[in-house]
Amino acid sequence: MSADDNTRAFDEGIVTDFSSRMSYGSYLALDELLALQRPVSEPEHHDELLFIIQHQTSELWLKLLLHELRSARASLQADDIGTALKRIARVKHIQETLTQQWSVLATLTPTEYSEFRGFLANSSGFQSHQYRAVEFILGNKNERMLSVFDSDPAARAVLASLLAEPSLYDEFLRYLARLGFGVPDSVLSRDVTKAYVMHPELVPVFREIYESATENWRVYEACEELVDLEDNFQFWRFRHLRTVQRTIGMKSGTGGSSGAGFLERALSLTFFPELFAVRTEIGT
């Protein structure tokens, strides 16, 4: 760098001719990607671009989240707990990024949002099929949700498939059973199309794991990773709720939901209830 012009030196070996080579932009399809932010407000409102990018980037992270959760589930099916834990560790970092993103959207004031909210019509995050897919693969299943996607056959097919498949937790419990832990048959044979609910008879299995962690370190570690995953999901839900409350208060959602009230009720949902229930039993 020259002291006179404060310009970084240009390395001679840097490639500049991309007439027949793949470039950064072509690999990432940036022409297409950066053309997908299409504000609909008239006249175009300054803050609508923030709103679009927030939700588009969230959908990209949800795509990766689902990709990693599918791989973690397949790894458990193959008794590969190491790969499953690696995938879940990545999921946790993605969740943290998704949660932090709410702080950017929270800079949108109620007045600013109200100036273009009407242009959104009935579009709503409630209609994110990828978010529902993540909930489904984690065990919060609801067949009624499929009707929201009747006009989008591809999205509906993704959810219908996940509805019929075991969740990540189902596969973890089956893995424990194959290791010799006393997972009840009622749990192993449950209807996987239904939302997972608490099975009190499973709590002693986890108490055994937690109270003999040294002998069962890998599954003990997996239990704690799942607890982290659920905690992170709840943090995301909470930040979503608080961002909605500070932006639209208690107004109904654009898609017809009750808005903040609907999001608040979601905080009572759980993915891995026995992993939290066992904490009451340990040491008693």
Side-chain angles (χ1 to χ4, degrees):
M1 180 170 61
S2 167
D4 296 327
D5 60 14
N6 198 32
T7 302
R8 183 170 60 180
F10 194 83
D11 292 348
E12 293 301 321
I14 289 178
V15 177
T16 59
D17 180 5
F18 296 100
S19 56
S20 60
R21 297 183 176 96
M22 180 186 293
S23 69
Y24 175 81
S26 60
Y27 174 66
L28 296 177
L30 289 183
D31 286 347
E32 295 92 333
L33 180 64
L34 298 179
L36 294 176
Q37 295 72 51
R38 302 166 186 161
V40 296
S41 55
E42 295 180 2
E44 182 179 323
H45 193 282
H46 173 83
D47 296 308
E48 191 180 355
L49 184 63
L50 159 63
F51 192 81
I52 293 171
I53 289 176
Q54 165 83 23
H55 289 84
Q56 286 184 340
T57 53
S58 293
E59 289 296 330
L60 288 172
W61 285 121
L62 286 171
K63 181 176 182 178
L64 183 57
L65 200 67
L66 188 57
H67 175 69
E68 299 297 342
L69 288 171
R70 286 182 184 276
S71 178
R73 185 180 61 176
S75 298
L76 289 172
Q77 290 170 335
D79 293 339
D80 183 359
I81 188 67
T83 299
L85 290 175
K86 170 64 176 177
R87 301 293 185 256
I88 293 172
R90 182 174 292 166
V91 164
K92 288 162 51 179
H93 285 290
I94 299 168
Q95 288 178 303
E96 290 170 3
T97 298
L98 280 165
T99 300
Q100 290 167 2
Q101 283 190 186
W102 288 120
S103 64
V104 183
L105 192 62
T107 65
L108 184 67
T109 69
T111 302
E112 291 164 344
Y113 185 42
S114 68
E115 291 171 353
F116 68 86
R117 186 180 189 234
F119 291 96
L120 305 181
N122 295 124
S123 62
S124 166
F126 179 84
Q127 300 145 16
S128 168
H129 86 275
Q130 291 197 122
Y131 173 79
R132 298 301 166 199
V134 170
E135 282 201 322
F136 276 24
I137 199 171
L138 291 177
N140 279 168
K141 298 183 179 184
N142 184 345
E143 188 174 5
R144 290 187 62 190
M145 286 293 179
L146 270 63
S147 65
V148 176
F149 306 96
D150 284 345
S151 61
D152 186 347
R156 195 184 195 285
V158 169
L159 292 176
S161 177
L162 287 170
L163 183 74
E165 297 167 3
S167 69
L168 177 72
Y169 194 45
D170 287 321
E171 292 298 350
F172 178 57
L173 297 176
R174 294 176 183 185
Y175 171 72
L176 292 181
R178 291 193 297 273
L179 290 180
F181 290 98
V183 179
D185 289 340
S186 60
V187 176
L188 298 174
S189 61
R190 80 176 195 90
D191 182 355
V192 298
T193 68
K194 306 299 183 185
Y196 188 89
V197 296
M198 174 77 175
H199 291 83
E201 66 272 27
L202 185 57
V203 174
V205 175
F206 287 116
R207 180 170 183 169
E208 175 189 351
I209 291 170
Y210 273 84
E211 292 185 343
S212 56
T214 303
E215 294 81 5
N216 301 296
W217 185 260
R218 284 303 247 178
V219 291
Y220 167 76
E221 181 184 12
C223 290
E224 286 297 280
E225 288 291 294
L226 291 174
V227 168
D228 286 346
L229 191 158
E230 174 154 340
D231 273 354
N232 285 351
F233 206 97
Q234 292 289 36
F235 293 151
W236 184 92
R237 283 172 167 161
F238 181 74
R239 287 294 289 126
H240 186 188
L241 168 64
R242 296 299 293 177
T243 301
V244 167
Q245 286 178 326
R246 69 180 288 163
T247 307
I248 66 169
M250 299 306 292
K251 292 186 182 73
S252 296
T254 49
S257 76
S258 57
F262 178 82
L263 298 175
E264 189 169 18
R265 290 192 297 274
L267 292 173
S268 66
L269 301 176
T270 181
F271 298 120
F272 321 123
E274 298 87 3
L275 288 176
F276 288 88
V278 73
R279 282 152 165 75
T280 306
E281 305 298 323
I282 293 171
T284 59

